Amino acid sequence: MKKLAIYGLNLLLSLSFSINCMAVESINLANGEWPPYHSKKLKYYGFVSRIITEAFALKSIKVNYKFLPWKRGMILAQRGDLDGTAVWRYKDKFAKDFYYSDSVLGTNTVFFHLKNFPFKWNSFDDLKGMRIGGTIGYGYNEEYDKAEQSQEFIIHRVPRDEQNFAKLLAGRIDIFPITTEVGYYILQTKFRLKDQQLITHHTQSLTPSKERNLHLLLSKKIEKNKQVLILFNLGLEQLKQSGKLRQYHEELYQGKYQNN
């Protein structure tokens, strides 16, 4: 098995060498605020920004990030004013304008709850009678949307994620959905250690399987991007094979991205 992995990596490196003759020196990407994945204020510009930067660096390509509101960054990349935007879940409506990279990171939206709350669920019917939190402007999944519209469930939304954690701690809601890494980052940075220790999450995901992966999007308006995508995917695979991706993820929970 180990020999097979080495052979595969050598094949990738050989392919990479043949493509590198393009001599792409830099790439301009839209970025935005989504800590700990992305932020102008974080070390490495965040966990996912680091992965993208390092994958391109393995192919001798420098990444220039332009931090913008997400929608604005998407528009500029669609027009070809920027090379691409990072990162997004797969949507059919984006595929006509962008090349999708291999998965940069797999994510899950899960329910957080107090450790002393005996929470189990298999379907949304199990959530009837529970007080469910939500954040204004977020889409979770179709079941959550239907439950909210049906008024058969007790769902309350507030403007910010940290308000939902405060409501959990105060006993005003029972469960609250948020992406796993984002949830624990907010707890680490906004709440006292003794409060953090009161909260956990259920492992079952609300995220549809086809939307769990986050991807780099490269604009189809820019001719070189077909080849740039190949280079990025090769660099990303090298990071995976080297164990660096696992290392970066572990460092996220050690608080190593909190200061730029």
Side-chain angles (χ1 to χ4, degrees):
M1 195 72 180
K2 186 176 180 181
K3 287 183 178 179
L4 185 61
I6 293 171
Y7 173 78
L9 182 56
N10 287 338
L11 184 63
L12 287 171
L13 291 171
S14 174
L15 179 58
S16 173
F17 180 79
S18 65
I19 297 172
N20 268 329
C21 62
M22 296 167 46
V24 177
E25 294 182 355
S26 64
I27 186 167
N28 300 309
L29 299 177
N31 208 332
E33 292 297 319
W34 188 17
Y37 298 144
H38 303 276
S39 178
K40 195 173 184 179
K41 301 173 184 177
L42 293 181
K43 193 173 183 181
Y44 310 111
Y45 296 133
F47 166 52
V48 174
S49 298
R50 184 186 189 185
I51 295 172
I52 292 166
T53 300
E54 294 297 328
F56 273 121
L58 287 170
K59 302 298 144 197
S60 300
I61 298 174
K62 181 180 184 296
V63 180
N64 301 310
Y65 290 116
K66 189 173 181 64
F67 280 85
L68 298 160
W70 286 104
K71 188 174 181 180
R72 176 67 175 159
M74 169 68 79
I75 291 170
L76 290 176
Q78 279 177 320
R79 294 195 319 218
D81 295 335
L82 294 171
D83 293 296
T85 175
V87 287
W88 298 78
R89 303 184 194 280
Y90 182 83
K91 298 283 186 183
D92 289 338
K93 64 181 179 180
F94 296 151
K96 63 183 176 62
D97 296 313
F98 292 100
Y99 301 115
Y100 271 79
S101 76
D102 292 342
S103 173
V104 176
L105 177 72
T107 65
N108 286 300
T109 297
V110 296
F111 282 117
F112 280 72
H113 61 93
L114 292 178
K115 289 179 180 178
N116 63 9
F117 179 66
F119 176 56
K120 293 182 180 180
W121 77 291
N122 291 305
S123 71
F124 253 73
D125 282 340
D126 298 329
L127 307 181
K128 286 183 178 179
M130 295 185 193
R131 297 166 299 171
I132 306 168
T135 302
I136 294 170
Y138 287 10
Y140 297 107
N141 69 7
E142 287 184 13
E143 284 186 291
Y144 186 101
D145 292 341
K146 288 178 181 177
E148 196 167 25
Q149 292 165 9
S150 73
Q151 298 184 342
E152 294 179 11
F153 295 79
I154 307 165
I155 297 177
H156 299 286
R157 289 187 184 245
V158 292
R160 300 192 312 277
D161 290 325
E162 52 263 41
Q163 289 176 282
N164 277 301
F165 280 119
K167 289 176 73 175
L168 270 183
L169 290 165
R172 294 169 56 199
I173 57 174
D174 299 313
I175 56 176
F176 158 55
I178 190 170
T179 304
T180 313
E181 291 87 357
V182 176
Y184 281 109
Y185 176 80
I186 290 171
L187 286 172
Q188 285 178 0
T189 56
K190 303 290 185 183
F191 293 87
R192 298 171 299 179
L193 180 59
K194 69 176 186 178
D195 289 332
Q196 297 173 34
Q197 293 171 339
L198 297 175
I199 293 176
T200 188
H201 74 281
H202 192 287
T203 56
Q204 183 166 318
S205 178
L206 282 80
T207 312
S209 57
K210 69 176 182 178
E211 294 181 13
R212 289 179 188 170
N213 293 318
L214 298 175
H215 307 266
L216 170 67
L217 274 60
L218 295 176
S219 176
K220 290 183 177 180
K221 290 283 178 67
I222 299 174
E223 186 175 352
K224 69 176 182 180
N225 276 349
K226 265 190 180 180
Q227 301 305 316
V228 170
L229 182 71
I230 295 172
L231 290 172
F232 175 75
N233 285 339
L234 288 168
L236 185 62
E237 183 60 27
Q238 280 182 253
L239 280 181
K240 291 177 182 177
Q241 294 286 347
S242 70
K244 289 286 187 182
L245 244 59
R246 190 181 308 110
Q247 173 194 326
Y248 297 164
H249 196 265
E250 289 169 357
E251 289 178 359
L252 174 64
Y253 289 99
Q254 296 165 8
K256 294 191 177 180
Y257 295 87
Q258 292 181 20
N259 297 303
N260 197 349

